[in-house]
Amino acid sequence: MRALTVNDRTISDETDAYVIAEIGHNHEGDLAKAEELVRQAAAAGASAVKLQKRNNRSLYTRAMYDSPYTGRNSFGPTYGAHREFLEFGTHEYTHLQQLSAELSVDFLATAFDFASVDFLAELGVPAIKIASGDIRNTPLLAYAAKAGKPLIVSTGGADMEAVRRACGTVLPINPDLALLQCTAMYPAEPEELNLAVLSTYRAEFPGTVVGFSGHDLGPWAAWTAYALGARVVEKHVTLDRTRPGSDHKFSLEQADMAELVDGLRRVRRSLGGRDKQVLPGERPAINKMGKKLVAQRDLPAGHRLIMEDVAIKSPGDGLTPDRLVDVVGRHLGRPLAADADITLEDLVDGDAERD
């Protein structure tokens, strides 16, 4: 069975989407803003909120850490200072984890390095996210898989060989994996989303839950992804899409997130079951618009029916036209007036009475 359990929530083909509201660094290093993002995501119906955890000093080369970083999206004069400004520690994580629990929303984070995996495992998050940039980081994937938490892995910037290698690294250690189609472009245009890859993932990894991590604008691609089998949906959230910062412009505000969640639930309901059947609510319309077999003219008992004796007319409350072959060539057991229903009970195999 294709299923994943996160904090007692089962995610499978039969469930609603598990919606992750990605806060990332849209809190701008401000705990109060992070709190409000958690509250708004929970109010909008998200299943989880998510941060990003980095050990910045060990994660970047000295040259990258010390490189100048200026412009509208910068929170520090160097890239290292920028990242440190946005980095939350134990106090902030514990506080937001407690708030999330009070609001009945899961609290997750992305681990960008080994130390961050340890930090999140000790914190007790119910699942760990691995970002697209680490899809080829098999040492980190293996290390995170051993933490004993479900892993949610994005696949942006990867080809199928890299995805297979990542799954081949994780699954023998930890079968609790969600594999997310993602495009590492910010924002991503519709023609860059490649949502059909979800079907490829479902076919190649039949026991693995698949999902969609979207950097596109709006909710529609996530709705399409659900219809294609995505059961984990991740979208960035913001308090204000016009704020400085690289992620705000393609993030969802609270009303957008609520629309996303509601739409995903509507898609699930609209998919229904796999069996094609007549629904009770369809019967009035089918009766009105459908057709039945009736006598074309007055016909005596014993008459052998030919094509010209049978008319196809509405309403559709009688013998359906696909039964015409069961009618032509048989004899009437009683006379029929023009427009009278032809029923199988009216027919006999031999001559009941000559015309």
Side-chain angles (χ1 to χ4, degrees):
M1 178 181 175
R2 189 193 308 273
L4 180 70
T5 300
V6 176
N7 206 16
D8 297 328
R9 301 186 198 220
T10 297
I11 308 164
S12 74
D13 286 347
E14 285 69 44
T15 66
D16 283 322
Y18 184 85
V19 179
I20 301 173
E22 165 68 288
I23 294 172
H25 49 248
N26 281 353
H27 53 69
E28 301 176 0
D30 185 331
L31 181 58
K33 288 182 179 178
E35 287 180 349
E36 183 59 23
L37 281 163
V38 171
R39 294 183 189 281
Q40 290 195 8
S47 310
V49 294
K50 188 174 77 64
L51 297 181
Q52 298 176 3
K53 188 60 184 155
R54 295 170 174 86
N55 186 348
N56 293 299
R57 285 287 182 182
S58 63
L59 185 58
Y60 304 107
T61 65
R62 181 176 297 275
M64 185 172 182
Y65 190 91
D66 293 336
S67 63
Y69 193 71
T70 58
R72 186 171 186 266
N73 295 335
S74 174
F75 288 93
T78 66
Y79 190 69
H82 164 78
R83 289 253 54 104
E84 297 289 8
F85 183 88
L86 296 172
E87 195 65 43
F88 282 165
T90 302
H91 168 69
E92 292 87 357
Y93 268 78
T94 302
H95 178 76
L96 294 171
Q97 183 183 46
Q98 181 177 347
L99 175 63
S100 299
E102 292 171 1
L103 297 172
S104 300
V105 62
D106 292 342
F107 180 75
L108 315 178
T110 299
F112 284 82
D113 48 70
F114 297 98
S116 296
V117 170
D118 293 339
F119 176 89
L120 296 175
E122 185 175 347
L123 190 69
V125 297
I128 294 175
K129 172 76 188 297
I130 301 295
S132 291
D134 286 309
I135 189 67
R136 292 177 175 83
N137 190 348
T138 51
L140 179 63
L141 288 167
Y143 191 79
K146 293 173 184 174
K149 307 284 185 180
L151 292 190
I152 302 169
V153 178
S154 281
T155 60
D159 56 18
M160 200 61 198
E161 180 182 356
V163 173
R164 291 189 185 105
R165 187 180 300 114
C167 291
T169 299
V170 171
L171 289 173
I173 302 170
N174 184 349
D176 296 327
L177 171 68
L179 193 65
L180 274 53
Q181 166 61 0
C182 179
T183 301
M185 300 174 73
Y186 310 90
E189 296 298 326
E191 59 270 21
E192 296 158 345
L193 298 178
N194 293 324
L195 295 179
V197 169
L198 290 163
S199 299
T200 302
Y201 287 174
R202 286 175 59 86
E204 182 137 353
F205 309 108
T208 298
V209 169
V210 303
F212 171 59
S213 179
H215 306 130
D216 54 305
L217 303 177
W220 68 268
W223 299 338
T224 305
Y226 185 93
L228 292 171
R231 292 299 178 268
V232 176
V233 170
E234 179 182 66
K235 292 283 287 184
H236 284 68
V237 291
T238 182
L239 299 177
D240 181 354
R241 198 176 289 114
T242 67
R243 292 287 300 165
S246 57
D247 292 349
H248 286 292
K249 60 182 176 293
F250 60 85
S251 298
L252 302 179
E253 296 176 4
Q254 182 181 13
D256 305 315
M257 175 58 73
E259 181 185 16
L260 171 78
V261 173
D262 180 66
L264 286 166
R265 292 171 180 167
R266 288 173 180 269
V267 173
R268 181 196 174 192
R269 295 199 301 271
S270 70
L271 288 176
R274 295 177 181 272
D275 295 333
K276 178 62 178 172
Q277 54 185 304
V278 179
L279 301 177
E282 291 182 297
R283 295 191 183 279
I286 294 304
N287 253 10
K288 180 179 179 181
M289 299 182 297
K291 307 292 191 301
K292 62 181 176 180
L293 302 180
V294 298
Q296 181 72 273
R297 55 187 178 84
D298 292 342
L299 298 171
H303 177 72
R304 184 176 182 274
L305 293 173
I306 59 174
M307 292 287 292
E308 290 75 14
D309 295 325
V310 182
I312 299 174
K313 296 185 179 183
S314 293
D317 58 354
L319 198 61
T320 53
D322 53 8
R323 303 299 301 273
L324 182 62
V325 294
D326 300 321
V327 168
V328 172
R330 300 188 67 187
H331 296 79
L332 290 174
R334 66 181 182 89
L336 292 179
D339 275 354
D341 287 5
I342 299 174
T343 70
L344 295 180
E345 290 74 21
D346 294 331
L347 306 177
V348 294
D349 290 327
D351 293 348
E353 185 178 310
R354 293 280 179 190
D355 284 347

